[in-house]
Amino acid sequence: MKVPSIKRMPSYLGVVEQAAAEGRSTISAPDIARQLDLEGIVVRKDLALTGIVGKPRVGYEVKQLVAAIRGFLGWNNTSDAFVVGVGSLGAALMGYRGFDNHGLNIVAGFDVDPAKVGHTVHGKEVFHLGRMPELARRMHVHLGVLTVPEAEAQPVAEVMVEAGMLGIWNFTPVKLTVPDEVVTHQEDLSAGLAVLSKTLQDVMDPHGASS
Amino acid sequence: MKVPSIKRMPSYLGVVEQAAAEGRSTISAPDIARQLDLEGIVVRKDLALTGIVGKPRVGYEVKQLVAAIRGFLGWNNTSDAFVVGVGSLGAALMGYRGFDNHGLNIVAGFDVDPAKVGHTVHGKEVFHLGRMPELARRMHVHLGVLTVPEAEAQPVAEVMVEAGMLGIWNFTPVKLTVPDEVVTHQEDLSAGLAVLSKTLQDVMDPHGASS
DNA sequence: TAGATTGTTAATCGATTAACAATC
DNA sequence: TAGATTGTTAATCGATTAACAATC
């Protein structure tokens, strides 16, 4: 599945789109690599996955490359999505501009808190969780961003599955149990924090247990 | 540096702390593995990095294991940290409970918006960015969470370095340029979204370009 | 004791890096 | 043409998985 390559794609897209914004018509792998502090060979190998073909001595056609990366990730046609759990993180994600550019369009939020239901957050309506199945079907939404408290994660995920969600972007620390056909991706902030903490610790005290 | 192992540590910690909360005194690698949908051998190898020693046929001492994982990650003594950029994401992180359990204590926010400076967010004061160097020194804070808009990321990171930050948890999509002694970790949401999008795409249309 | 689990050593797998001919 | 960059094939590196003796 080439997960490491897939993870690098959005950063390539950012660099290439900036080049486009600057009016450049081509960009080379070494150029992209320099901007991202990678090796050129990594970029070439990764870009090959998108099916793009470059020109020796010149690089890649910027327009083509944007289309190739977007196509590879499925970011051409943006998908509508729900945010489920409108706490501070959920609300922040509802307001995040930039998802549009990443194939994601958040159309509504869901919660059970009467203080939130019926109001809007960043211009998007918040509905009661119980209405999700109905609205998912009506609006043809198959993607959900899960930002409920830990204790609610599994039961709410089951509601989402029931409602026809095919993909769940899981921001809780809970490993979800869902049917095989439902795709889940856990966004694990504590994993990132662990890497930062451990690196810091090793820098300050290089003689601690391990490296 | 064993990054994959380090990233799994927080999930082990969660499982083991739950076992502790349930009053269990020991836990085995296969048991942890089952809860996280991993292989037992992965858990054993990872836990060995923390220096813990288990008992055949029994497993690991729960209390010892919690201490070993926390010690490995440097999560025993919690570090104070600043949130820099109190937009919706920054504010959400300022309110996130659970960082305390991850060695992180957010003590204040910084912004340049007069509408935010002088107010509190989730009970924590927001100061003007210009006061960060002074307050970082006075409060001995060396960790910063960077949640400013993309265009501000690099210049604000430089202010943070100037203020004596040793670690920057970077939530922007910008690859920061900082001195070697400053540790940076980029939390890249778009990478996670890319993996989810690509997986979904491959499930729906298995005959697309690659797998 | 019997047997599940640990810790360690070896084998496999996949990702990264290197080398280099082809090409514009 | 000369030379930088592509695309591909091979080598290296590191992480995961397998195998198994030691042990409680």
Side-chain angles (χ1 to χ4, degrees), chain A residues 27-195:
Chain A
I27 191 167
S28 71
D31 189 1
I32 296 172
R34 193 168 353 92
Q35 294 189 51
L36 295 169
D37 202 17
L38 297 172
E39 295 295 321
I41 177 65
V42 173
V43 176
R44 270 183 292 155
K45 272 266 163 89
D46 287 345
L47 294 186
L49 293 175
T50 69
I52 190 140
V53 175
K55 275 206 186 65
R57 166 90 202 170
V58 175
Y60 305 87
E61 195 67 48
V62 162
K63 274 188 186 169
Q64 264 183 41
L65 188 46
V66 168
I69 298 173
R70 291 186 167 280
F72 176 80
L73 293 175
W75 287 2
N76 275 321
N77 29 8
T78 69
S79 314
D80 288 344
F82 288 157
V83 164
V84 185
V86 189
S88 49
L89 179 59
L93 294 177
M94 284 176 77
Y96 183 60
R97 304 155 183 299
F99 279 155
D100 347 3
N101 198 35
H102 292 36
L104 199 69
N105 179 35
I106 293 170
V107 293
F110 292 85
D111 210 301
V112 293
D113 182 351
K116 287 166 190 160
V117 172
H119 294 80
T120 65
V121 170
H122 295 289
K124 285 154 191 169
E125 208 165 341
V126 178
F127 299 98
H128 191 277
L129 182 64
R131 297 196 57 199
M132 196 174 49
E134 167 210 344
L135 289 166
R137 266 149 211 154
R138 172 133 52 97
M139 303 173 79
H140 299 99
V141 172
H142 300 293
L143 244 176
V145 182
L146 184 61
T147 47
V148 298
E150 185 167 347
E152 261 56 73
Q154 181 61 39
V156 171
E158 285 164 18
V159 173
M160 293 170 78
V161 169
E162 193 54 40
M165 297 285 145
L166 299 177
I168 299 178
W169 196 6
N170 176 19
F171 280 79
T172 78
V174 177
K175 164 93 190 97
L176 300 176
T177 302
V178 296
D180 284 350
E181 67 273 18
V182 176
V183 175
T184 271
H185 182 84
Q186 187 163 8
E187 203 60 54
D188 191 353
L189 293 192
S190 61
L193 180 55
V195 174

Side-chain angles (χ1 to χ4, degrees), chain B residues 86-146:
Chain B
V86 189
S88 49
L89 178 58
L93 295 177
M94 284 176 78
Y96 183 61
R97 303 157 183 298
F99 279 155
D100 349 3
N101 199 34
H102 292 36
L104 199 70
N105 180 34
I106 293 170
V107 293
F110 291 85
D111 209 301
V112 293
D113 182 350
K116 287 166 189 158
V117 172
H119 294 80
T120 65
V121 170
H122 295 290
K124 284 154 191 171
E125 208 164 342
V126 178
F127 299 98
H128 191 277
L129 182 65
R131 296 196 57 199
M132 195 172 52
E134 166 210 345
L135 288 166
R137 266 149 210 155
R138 173 133 53 95
M139 303 173 80
H140 299 99
V141 172
H142 300 293
L143 245 175
V145 182
L146 184 61

Side-chain angles (χ1 to χ4, degrees), chain B residues 29-30 44-45 53-54 57 60:
Chain B
R44 270 182 291 155
K45 272 269 164 87
V53 175
R57 165 92 201 168
Y60 306 87

Side-chain angles (χ1 to χ4, degrees), chain B residues 2-3 8 15 23 45 66 78 88 91 106 121 134 141 148 162-163 167 186 188 195 209:
Chain B
K2 299 279 183 197
V3 169
R8 286 188 290 262
V15 168
K45 272 269 164 87
V66 168
T78 69
S88 49
I106 293 170
V121 170
E134 166 210 345
V141 172
V148 299
E162 193 54 40
Q186 189 163 6
D188 191 354
V195 173

